[in-house]
Structure formats: structure tokens, C-alpha cells
Amino acid sequence: MTGIYIITGTSRGIGKAVAEHLLKTGNRVYGISRSPSPIAGSPGFHQALGSMTDPELIESVFREVKDALAHERFDFLCLLSNAAVLDPLGAIETCAVGDIERHIQVNLAAPIMLTARFMALFADAVLRKKVVHMTSGAARTPIPDASLYCATKAGISMFCECVGAEQYGRQHGFEIAAISPGMVETDMQKTMRSKSAAEFRPSDRFRAARESGAVQDLETVARRIADILEAKTNMGQTVSVPDWTN
């Protein structure tokens, strides 16, 4: 199966690792990131520099993909909304209003708008189509000093469930799922481990997870995520990477 993938956050971490794996298996990837990706220039990789909150950039990428679908043969079209921010950390009353707005925009509002435009533009495309959002165990587990991150990830999970109910049974409809990767060795994990208890109360929990071997290898997780993207999953389901078997 030859797929065409649109992935946000491909400059590092999970987004970059998943894109690399998909390229190795012969797919085409359109990567959206604010900074250049180390895989720019790789065969099959198309880089779009800018923010996923920029509607003109997103429209340009989607139009490029639509043109590719009109002139080439693909079996699968997938949007992976992966980009997210962790900051601000701390008790909510210490967070600046502007930082709160940016967090909600990047982690929740932009992924929802991205999905809406993707589904509108490719509604008539006759091929298998899937939307996947990265969520987190934080969507279900309260983390002190990370209330914004927990709340926006919970919102993404519920959004997927609702859209799954909307799309269920539609002819030429979209599959939709959320992926919870578990603890993965990324910059986000390193940031949480690096904080003092005064800056981020659960920091010792994340350091202990690393020391106990509970933090997963990035490449292994990327391969599993690529498998989940290609697999048929229940509509609106949140798929746990550590529990994934195929």
C-alpha cells in the first residue's frame, strides 16, 4: 500500500521518527514544522515551514496534496496531527494569559481546525482516508502543574470520539483515531525530568520512570505508530502504543 501522509511537527521527536519510517517503506510525506527538519531533502519528503496555526500554509499543503492525488496513484491518505507544546508548566494561577492562549491554540484549536479543513477538502476523494491525533496518558491522569496539557489532550481524545461517531457508516468517509504513545524518550520527557520539584512537582516521577526503564525508545514507538496509522482501528478509538499488537 502506497500512502500519502501529512504530518505536523516533523523537525524532531515522534513526528520526525514516524516520517523517517514511512519514507523508508516507500510512502510520501508532507511535513509541517516551524523549523527545518533534518530529513529535508530525503526522497519523498516535502517540507512546509511554518506553524500549523497558519491557515494559508495549511491550505497550500492540502492543495499540493490534492494535486498529487489528481495526477498520481495512492491507496491511502492520512493526516497525523502530532505537533504540541508542553509549556507553560506550573500551577494555573502562575501561567500568563498569553501562554495559556498559545497552548490551547497549538494543542487543541489548531488540530480541530486542521481536521475540519482536511475533511472538507478531501471529502470526495475516493480512497482510504484517515485522521490521527496524538493524545497522551495525561488525557486520563491528572498531573499537577500540567493542567493545560492534560486538559487539551483530553479534549483531543474526546474530539476523536465525537468525529468518529459523525463519520461512522459514511460512504467514502474518514477513519479517525487518537494515539497515546506512553512515555517516550523525547525532548518533552527530558524537559519534565530536568525540572526541580519547585518548578514541576511530579518531576521526580518522570526521573524515576527513566531510571526504571519505563521510558520507551523513540524508534520502536515510531515503528508502532506507523503500523497503527496503516491499520484499521475502531472509529474514534484511542490506541495505546505500549498495548499495541498487530
Side-chain angles (χ1 to χ4, degrees):
M1 180 173 68
T2 303
I4 187 165
Y5 293 80
I6 303 166
I7 304 177
T8 65
T10 49
S11 62
R12 59 182 179 173
I14 288 175
K16 171 181 168 288
V18 171
E20 284 182 303
H21 183 79
L22 292 169
L23 291 169
K24 287 176 185 176
T25 52
N27 298 286
R28 183 175 300 178
V29 176
Y30 290 79
I32 302 169
S33 58
R34 289 177 296 169
S35 55
S37 174
I39 59 176
S42 300
F45 184 74
H46 297 246
Q47 180 171 260
L49 286 176
S51 173
M52 63 182 285
T53 63
D54 180 354
E56 291 185 3
L57 176 70
I58 297 305
E59 189 72 16
S60 173
V61 173
F62 285 175
R63 291 291 178 185
E64 189 176 346
V65 171
K66 195 170 182 69
D67 185 66
L69 290 174
H71 295 94
E72 301 174 66
R73 168 71 185 234
F74 294 94
D75 305 302
F76 183 47
L77 172 63
C78 182
L79 169 65
L80 173 59
S81 179
N82 161 75
V85 295
L86 179 62
D87 290 333
L89 293 174
I92 192 62
E93 70 272 15
T94 69
C95 299
V97 171
D99 292 338
I100 293 172
E101 289 177 340
R102 176 178 175 271
H103 186 107
I104 294 171
Q105 178 70 13
V106 173
N107 284 19
L108 184 60
I112 288 174
M113 291 185 284
L114 194 69
T115 302
R117 187 59 187 144
F118 180 79
M119 288 185 164
L121 195 59
F122 296 103
D124 296 330
V126 185
L127 79 167
R128 186 175 165 222
K129 300 168 291 191
K130 189 171 185 177
V131 176
V132 178
H133 290 274
M134 297 302 296
T135 185
S136 168
R140 305 180 308 278
T141 304
I143 302 176
D145 296 337
S147 58
L148 287 170
Y149 190 76
C150 293
T152 53
K153 288 302 182 182
I156 282 294
S157 295
M158 180 53 70
F159 174 70
C160 289
E161 289 188 46
C162 293
V163 176
E166 292 170 1
Q167 290 290 317
Y168 184 79
R170 288 195 192 183
Q171 186 177 19
H172 307 311
F174 295 81
E175 300 169 42
I176 186 166
I179 294 178
S180 180
M183 288 188 172
V184 189
E185 186 59 14
T186 62
D187 288 347
M188 192 174 286
Q189 279 287 321
K190 293 173 185 175
T191 296
M192 290 187 285
R193 293 199 301 264
S194 72
K195 300 290 186 181
S196 68
E199 295 172 304
F200 181 53
R201 276 174 282 180
S203 58
D204 58 344
R205 185 196 315 170
F206 290 89
R207 286 191 288 272
R210 173 63 173 164
E211 291 166 5
S212 69
V215 179
Q216 304 165 93
D217 170 73
L218 177 59
E219 301 306 319
T220 300
V221 170
R223 287 194 298 272
R224 288 186 176 182
I225 289 174
D227 287 344
I228 295 168
L229 296 180
E230 294 181 353
K232 289 278 191 179
T233 50
N234 294 333
M235 290 293 276
Q237 175 187 12
T238 293
V239 182
S240 167
V241 169
D243 297 335
W244 174 253
T245 56
N246 187 19

